[in-house]
Amino acid sequence: MRTDGKPALPGFEERRLGATRYFVGGSGPPVALVHGLGGIAANWRLVAPSLAQERRVIVPELPGHGGSAALPEAPSTLDPFAEAVLAVLEHEEALPAPWVGHSLGGVVGLHAAAVRPDAVEGLVLAAAAGISSASRIGEALVTTIGLVEPGKRIAPHRARVSRSRLGRTLTFGWWGVADPAGFDPEMAEAFLAGPAQHESTLQAGKALVRSDPRQDLDRVTCPCLCLWGASDNWVPLKDGMEYARRLRAPLRVIADCGHLLIGERPDAVLDAVRDFLDRVSPAPAG
């Protein structure tokens, strides 16, 4: 899969396990990067290659997203999504491993950590969904987007939209990034590329709004880090504070940053993730 003629993740190899597509790059201690609702592996293009300089980075695409087929039946929980990622990591002999999950990917990581504490060494919740999305307003919003699929309407025009300041502002303003005019055009296009490939994000969206991860947080025993954009209007900072309080985890806030922090402020994300990984799964010296 390529974005504007460029590899989704430079230096990474595309692989498949059954219905799941994933990408692998680098060597060393493993780490999994899990995208958000409506995302694809390319969302990590400014994070994954840098991490791959010192670690073996595995980037799966969740069921129904990108090159991964949808689940045979609509799930009632996010467990099948966690199981899909765990299956990839087990196939790659990369368990246990720390996870970095963005938005929906963070909630998927929480499910995996609760069900398989032996498999998840640590978890970075990067603007993790699951609290506000469990509200009635969140449920209506996620379901509507899943049915209308506005991203599919924009995807054919993504190159033109992503290179226009107005296009980025209309597409990513308020909900996605704090500074859409200054948002990297190639990163914007990577986020817009997903909807054209998705088979079904509604499955994940419905499972997300049915899930309230707070009920299982006492089962999460691994170290966690909550990483949030200060200007996140999609998953508000108060959600990060609640996760941090309930998990007894540190909260690291990135100034002037919205929900798509892995694309808007990748350097700050990398600093936080590296600090966390060095504590929970140190890479060999030299």
Side-chain angles (χ1 to χ4, degrees):
M1 183 264 291
R2 303 174 74 85
T3 301
D4 191 28
K6 299 180 180 179
L9 294 173
F12 279 60
E13 178 184 347
E14 178 180 337
R15 298 180 183 176
R16 298 198 70 90
L17 177 65
T20 303
R21 180 171 70 177
Y22 64 100
F23 296 79
V24 180
S27 61
V31 59
L33 307 182
V34 188
H35 63 74
L37 182 64
I40 53 176
N43 293 172
W44 297 98
R45 66 183 294 115
L46 297 183
V47 173
S50 292
L51 284 180
Q53 294 175 13
E54 62 258 13
R55 295 179 181 270
R56 186 171 177 227
V57 182
I58 301 172
V59 191
E61 291 183 324
L62 295 171
H65 290 69
S68 295
L71 296 167
E73 297 181 359
S76 58
T77 72
L78 288 171
D79 287 348
F81 297 89
E83 291 165 3
V85 178
L86 286 167
V88 165
L89 296 177
E90 188 165 17
H91 178 73
E92 289 291 328
E93 299 181 348
L95 291 177
W99 294 32
V100 183
H102 176 238
S103 198
L104 167 67
V107 193
V108 171
L110 284 170
H111 278 256
V115 175
R116 289 281 308 277
D118 60 306
V120 183
E121 284 186 319
L123 178 61
V124 177
L125 300 173
I131 295 181
S132 295
S133 53
S135 67
R136 289 185 177 180
I137 294 175
E139 179 177 1
L141 188 58
V142 169
T143 302
T144 299
I145 291 173
L147 290 170
V148 176
E149 296 184 314
K152 285 189 180 294
R153 303 171 187 269
I154 299 172
H157 313 288
R158 60 184 180 272
R160 179 163 53 87
V161 170
S162 63
R163 281 155 181 74
S164 162
R165 289 177 57 135
L166 177 60
R168 294 194 300 276
T169 299
L170 293 174
T171 305
F172 296 101
W174 182 79
W175 80 273
V177 298
D179 180 19
F183 193 31
D184 179 74
E186 288 192 5
M187 196 66 245
E189 185 170 358
F191 277 105
L192 294 175
Q197 304 174 44
H198 299 331
E199 185 175 329
S200 173
T201 61
L202 186 58
Q203 284 186 339
K206 286 186 172 182
L208 172 63
V209 299
R210 292 191 191 106
S211 302
D212 188 341
R214 289 172 291 187
Q215 298 174 358
D216 294 322
L217 292 185
D218 59 341
R219 298 167 59 194
V220 178
T221 57
C222 67
C224 295
L225 168 67
C226 299
L227 183 61
W228 242 261
S231 303
D232 191 334
N233 293 316
W234 191 251
V235 179
L237 181 56
K238 67 177 183 178
D239 287 14
M241 294 178 178
E242 183 168 355
Y243 271 130
R245 177 177 61 83
R246 288 174 176 262
L247 290 166
R248 298 181 180 179
L251 171 65
R252 191 157 169 171
V253 181
I254 301 175
D256 300 321
C257 184
H259 183 60
L260 302 178
L261 67 172
I262 63 174
E264 186 176 18
R265 295 290 303 279
D267 290 343
V269 170
L270 280 165
D271 285 345
V273 169
R274 281 194 170 108
D275 287 347
F276 179 77
L277 293 178
D278 286 345
R279 292 197 304 272
V280 303
S281 179

